[in-house]
Amino acid sequence: MRPVTILAIESSCDETSAAICVDGKILSNHIANQTVHEKYGGVVPELASRAHMQNIVPVVHSALQTAFPGAPDLTSIDAVAFTQAPGLIGSLLVGTQFAKSLALSLNKPLIGVHHMQAHVLANLIDENRPSFPFLCLTVSGGHTQIVLAKSPLELEVIGETIDDAAGEAFDKTAKLLGLPYPGGPLIDKYAKLGDPLRFKFAEPQIPELDFSFSGLKTSVLYFLQKQEPGFIEQNLHDLCASVQHTIIHILLKKVKKAVQETGVKQVCIAGGVSANSGLRTALQELGVKYKWQTFIPKFEYCTDNAAMIAITAYYKYQASQFTGLEASPSARAEW
């Protein structure tokens, strides 16, 4: 059989990415990051959209050149995939319209992909992959979910945050500590030098498998307001370690409960926060303790990337789940 080649585009937030997938194998995965947001302390949607418009053609060209050295051949592409939801609507529009135009000009099918489903299926990219069913803790800047994956296209959310996501908890507490955006990676960096049990912060007691992180942010805020000037600078490493320890404990306590309720002992993580070294180590340690099989994507497949869009589109292509040219992007996360 002729190999299935998919060009995938990801533009949901502030990374412009393109990837080439052939029969489920990623041949290229190029990402253009946007540094313009750092001075504003967060992603500015309008600036993100403009940067996507500047980056999308060079990124796609680079992905094609890496996958097909010498003479990139668009005619060999069997389908064009794109992130349809959720995300910043302006950013999604850039990727959607580019993908539509390319698919129409090549007379190739279009495949819309749900960003959060793609994060889960990023665990299927490498050869060391879980079999079905498996559980996936998906943690990013905007979403925190526990997903029961029964097949590549049968994914069920069995727990999710009712307010802030884990990534927001990292970034917001980092801001309280005076760290620049994005603060999550800096908390991870400084946490390695601190005592995770030095300070105790609130852990909201949410029923079932759902999460809440807004109370943690408030707990850190009230704690810092009671301290003397200079306290943060003198105790930064311990504060970062304690915040990270609390967030990870909240996350993995729910994962443990999900394993107990479902009986599924193959556990994955995904999303931008899955790049956190503390979370990666804690999941592996929990897996050893409770005899789970744990799976952690490579760092390049944790943050927003087109490879995860490509692998998801590959399975959708096999199931003939195509998207019409009338499709529009959505900022909403409903599955």
Side-chain angles (χ1 to χ4, degrees), residues 171-179 217-218 220-221 224 232:
D171 286 338
K172 289 180 179 179
T173 52
K175 193 170 185 177
L176 294 175
L177 295 174
L179 300 177
K217 176 196 65 178
T218 304
V220 174
L221 173 63
L224 294 177
I232 293 176

Side-chain angles (χ1 to χ4, degrees), residues 22-71:
V22 177
D23 279 349
K25 182 179 180 181
I26 303 300
L27 299 189
S28 63
N29 181 43
H30 284 258
I31 303 171
N33 295 303
Q34 301 178 6
T35 58
V36 67
H37 309 286
E38 292 176 1
K39 60 183 177 181
Y40 298 104
V43 177
V44 181
E46 177 62 25
L47 295 180
S49 303
R50 294 180 184 182
H52 283 303
M53 294 176 69
Q54 294 173 335
N55 293 335
I56 194 162
V57 172
V59 166
V60 170
H61 182 68
S62 296
L64 287 166
Q65 281 195 316
T66 300
F68 310 116

Side-chain angles (χ1 to χ4, degrees), residues 256-301:
K256 181 181 174 182
K257 183 176 177 65
V259 172
Q260 292 171 339
E261 291 187 2
T262 63
V264 175
K265 293 188 176 182
Q266 292 195 99
V267 183
C268 309
I269 55 175
V273 180
S274 67
N276 179 278
S277 63
L279 177 59
R280 294 166 83 92
T281 300
L283 177 67
Q284 290 172 325
E285 291 174 348
L286 216 56
V288 171
K289 180 178 180 180
Y290 293 107
K291 295 181 171 56
W292 303 343
Q293 283 184 279
T294 57
F295 302 86
I296 300 173
K298 292 179 181 176
F299 285 108
E300 66 181 299
Y301 303 138

